[in-house]
Amino acid sequence: MSLAKPLPRLSPDNEPFWEACRAGELRLPTCEECDKPHLPPGPVCPFCFGAKLAWRKASGRGRISSFTVVHKAWFPSFRDEIPYNVIQVELEEGPRLTANLVQATPEELRIGQAVEILFDKINDSITLPRFRPMAG
Amino acid sequence: MHSFKDTAAIVGIGSSRFGRKMPESQLALGAMAMRAALEDAGLERRDVDGLSIHMGFPLGPDYDRVAEAFGLDIRYVNQSWLHGRFVTHCLQQAAIAVSAGLADVVACISAVSFTRERQILGGDHDAEGTREEGGTHGESPHYGLTAPVGGAAMGMQRYMHLYGATSAELAAVPISIRAHACRNPGAVMQTPLTLEDHQASRMVVDPLHLFDCCLMTDGAVVALVTSAERARDLKQKPVYISGMQGIRAGREEFIFAPRGLGINQQSGMQIAPDAKDLAIYRDIDRTAVQGFYTYDAFSPLVLFALERFGFCGPGEAKDFVQGGRIGPGGALPVNTSGGLLSEAHVGGWNSIAEITRQLRGTAGPTQIPGASVLQWGTCWGDSILMRN
């Protein structure tokens, strides 16, 4: 039983995403042909099958589109945190990202809540994006 | 287009006992079910020349070990993976194989030891969530989201938000399915479930309570499939495979949400069933279906499956399931042996065995009077219509 939390698994397709997070930026793979961003990072544009992708900076803002609260300690490393939330955020640019909501009241954990990104450095290679409620 | 309507039939079914922490291995449970299925069909072990396996990595042995252990001589194999998504596929491949002459008799085998292997389903041993590209249920282990139920919670939370559905309304699903189980002496759960029990049960992954989650059990089921022609000469009344359609996939699909609902990369609002969802009713109309069987790993999946096949409109299943409609004696009984929620989790094959008994008229206390057309269909859109 490991007490270290699991880390995201890097692949050739998603490495630029995590590299941007390390630099404190949210970047989305965006098709140079049809201009649409997508998640999760894939090898081609899922909309037009275009092969040229550019990693464009995103606003980091969006709204909670679904969420859950985990009450069971599946991971020993999360045991002290239960119950904890996991959210999906619909970014202003369209794609959805899974993360946690932090610095929030229980009332702010709701579908439709406006949120903004922050970056939580875990170690030298991984920085996890999380979200907090938008001020005001 | 080649039609597989009534070209194949289930001619034998066999089960092990179902239960928790059973001492036997997966293979031993499978062997018990195989012996029972052969006896049921009046076939010999040497008659089986095809395997369609709904097990294998990471939950147990592959097809070659099964054939070796059972002393079979096989010339056709289909192996899927122990996921609800592949029950239909496994039975369909068996039907296609015997119809195409690739095999004479295909044994569909599902054998599970979930109580010994449960760490695979979530947590530090989450083999699914930690593979490259992650799991299919929306697993995000680095954010603490693991296990299939996490995805079901995400789907149900948004469904509740869009339609105003409540946990108390959802409770009608496990309560009705438990009522079926109480009539089945072989079901693991034997005491009625009340709304109070459901609401008081511990929250696992909000909004899903303990009783919205299936059992974790051990057991095996074998279904023997052969051509309709050969079936007519065998011991049992054949159960014909009268219609089939495959699983759907694409960016509008998420394993545990209705099409389009807005989980992961779905566009955001539920999409009503289209021609691909309803192709199953080409030869037999939905109104002829006397009972519906589905993969009820989590109670929301029953709502999503009913909407997928148009038994009611998007967002209406929460109302459709009230008032005993899907329970014993209801207008559309669902999972009459108790399903994964209350009979046992045998990869869904306990319901395939139940459909077979129903269409033979031998289901005993759970018998739907005059059952002649039953549907297996999942929230992913895959389906098989069966008749006697």
Side-chain angles (χ1 to χ4, degrees):
Chain A
M1 290 287 173
S2 161
L3 283 177
K5 286 185 176 170
L7 293 173
R9 182 159 171 167
L10 270 55
S11 76
D13 292 336
N14 71 23
E15 210 159 0
F17 177 89
W18 296 108
E19 194 182 305
C21 288
R22 272 201 300 278
E25 291 180 340
L26 177 66
R27 287 185 178 268
L28 302 178
T30 306
C31 180
E32 291 195 357
E33 287 167 46
C34 76
D35 224 32
K36 287 185 187 157
H38 73 265
L39 282 176
V44 292
C45 171
F47 303 105
C48 75
F49 213 52
K52 281 190 186 168
L53 301 173
W55 286 83
R56 290 196 197 144
K57 196 172 173 200
S59 69
R61 292 187 298 270
R63 288 183 184 274
I64 296 176
S65 51
S66 195
F67 68 92
T68 184
V69 178
V70 179
H71 292 261
K72 178 174 166 168
W74 268 284
F75 296 108
S77 53
F78 279 87
R79 185 178 297 276
D80 293 342
E81 292 171 34
I82 53 170
Y84 58 88
N85 71 70
V86 183
I87 61 172
Q88 287 200 336
V89 174
E90 187 168 311
L91 300 169
E92 280 182 349
E93 293 80 7
R96 296 196 193 87
L97 198 59
T98 299
N100 307 116
L101 182 70
V102 296
Q103 302 172 18
T105 63
E107 294 71 34
E108 289 168 319
L109 181 64
R110 60 174 182 88
I111 293 172
Q113 172 68 45
V115 293
E116 63 186 0
I117 205 163
L118 57 88
F119 293 93
D120 184 0
K121 183 177 175 180
I122 306 298
N123 60 31
D124 285 346
S125 61
I126 294 295
T127 292
L128 289 179
R130 301 189 205 275
F131 289 84
R132 65 184 165 215
M134 289 274 281
Chain B
M1 187 176 72
H2 189 81
S3 169
F4 291 103
K5 178 173 162 48
D6 300 333
T7 59
I10 297 176
V11 293
I13 46 166
S15 304
S16 69
R17 285 185 303 115
F18 303 151
R20 295 184 172 113
K21 297 186 177 162
M22 290 177 61
E24 296 90 353
S25 70
Q26 266 171 283
L27 277 175
L29 295 167
M32 282 182 217
M34 182 74 153
R35 191 182 297 275
L38 289 169
E39 193 180 316
D40 180 62
L43 288 168
E44 301 292 326
R45 191 169 50 127
R46 64 170 177 274
D47 294 320
V48 174
D49 60 353
L51 281 179
S52 191
I53 304 277
H54 187 237
M55 48 197 288
F57 180 84
L59 281 163
D62 289 341
Y63 74 91
D64 38 10
R65 178 60 190 136
V66 172
E68 181 185 61
F70 294 1
L72 301 171
D73 185 12
I74 295 299
R75 66 179 176 120
Y76 170 83
V77 166
N78 168 63
Q79 175 168 333
S80 69
W81 173 23
L82 200 113
H83 251 216
R85 297 177 293 163
F86 302 123
V87 180
T88 315
H89 164 86
C90 226
L91 190 49
Q92 287 176 341
Q93 292 302 311
I96 291 166
V98 298
S99 300
L102 292 167
D104 293 324
V105 177
V106 176
C108 300
I109 305 178
S110 189
V112 295
S113 295
F114 279 120
T115 48
R116 220 172 15 248
E117 302 284 347
R118 67 178 311 155
Q119 288 207 332
I120 285 172
L121 298 162
D124 272 0
H125 302 277
D126 182 358
E128 295 223 59
T130 53
R131 64 184 152 139
E132 187 161 303
E133 298 294 337
T136 194
H137 315 96
E139 288 94 337
S140 286
H142 43 290
Y143 292 118
L145 193 63
T146 183
V149 67
M154 282 284 184
M156 190 60 196
Q157 191 82 253
R158 186 165 172 83
Y159 181 94
M160 289 165 87
H161 171 78
L162 291 175
Y163 300 119
T166 65
S167 169
E169 288 172 326
L170 179 61
V173 170
I175 290 169
S176 302
I177 290 177
R178 180 67 64 83
H180 288 301
C182 289
R183 296 175 162 215
N184 169 13
V188 168
M189 304 303 278
Q190 290 289 335
T191 53
L193 180 68
T194 66
L195 178 59
E196 292 69 34
D197 296 334
H198 176 273
Q199 293 290 288
S201 67
R202 66 184 166 85
M203 192 70 92
V204 179
V205 186
D206 191 351
L208 302 182
H209 288 261
L210 179 66
F211 292 127
D212 292 312
C213 304
C214 64
L215 302 168
M216 296 304 286
T217 53
D218 308 334
V221 171
V222 169
L224 299 174
V225 176
T226 191
S227 67
E229 192 183 0
R230 185 158 185 201
R232 285 188 273 275
D233 298 330
L234 291 175
K235 187 171 148 190
Q236 302 286 355
K237 185 173 173 180
V239 169
Y240 294 103
I241 292 173
S242 290
M244 307 199 288
Q245 76 184 19
I247 198 164
R248 301 201 66 179
R251 286 179 81 81
E252 289 297 4
E253 299 290 343
F254 171 70
I255 183 166
F256 292 150
R259 186 170 174 80
L261 192 80
I263 305 300
N264 281 2
Q265 311 309 324
Q266 297 178 304
S267 57
M269 294 300 281
Q270 187 170 348
I271 299 166
D274 62 17
K276 288 176 186 163
D277 292 312
L278 303 176
I280 187 75
Y281 302 121
R282 188 187 62 177
D283 296 315
I284 297 174
D285 194 73
R286 183 173 54 231
T287 54
V289 173
Q290 296 157 290
F292 185 69
Y293 295 79
T294 194
Y295 197 84
D296 56 338
F298 308 107
S299 47
L301 310 194
V302 176
L303 304 184
F304 303 162
L306 290 166
E307 294 179 10
R308 170 78 75 168
F309 293 100
F311 286 100
C312 54
E316 292 176 2
K318 64 178 171 49
D319 302 315
F320 182 89
V321 298
Q322 306 301 320
R325 187 187 253 130
I326 65 169
L332 185 71
V334 171
N335 291 357
T336 53
S337 60
L340 281 67
L341 284 167
S342 281
E343 183 186 22
H345 190 336
V346 192
W349 290 84
N350 44 317
S351 282
I352 302 296
E354 171 71 0
I355 291 169
T356 307
R357 289 188 295 267
Q358 288 282 347
L359 291 172
R360 289 175 179 175
T362 60
T366 67
Q367 183 67 47
I368 298 170
S372 59
V373 175
L374 300 174
Q375 182 178 2
W376 166 263
T378 76
C379 59
W380 310 294
D382 49 278
S383 184
I384 299 180
L385 274 169
M386 284 173 262
R387 70 166 185 90
N388 55 20

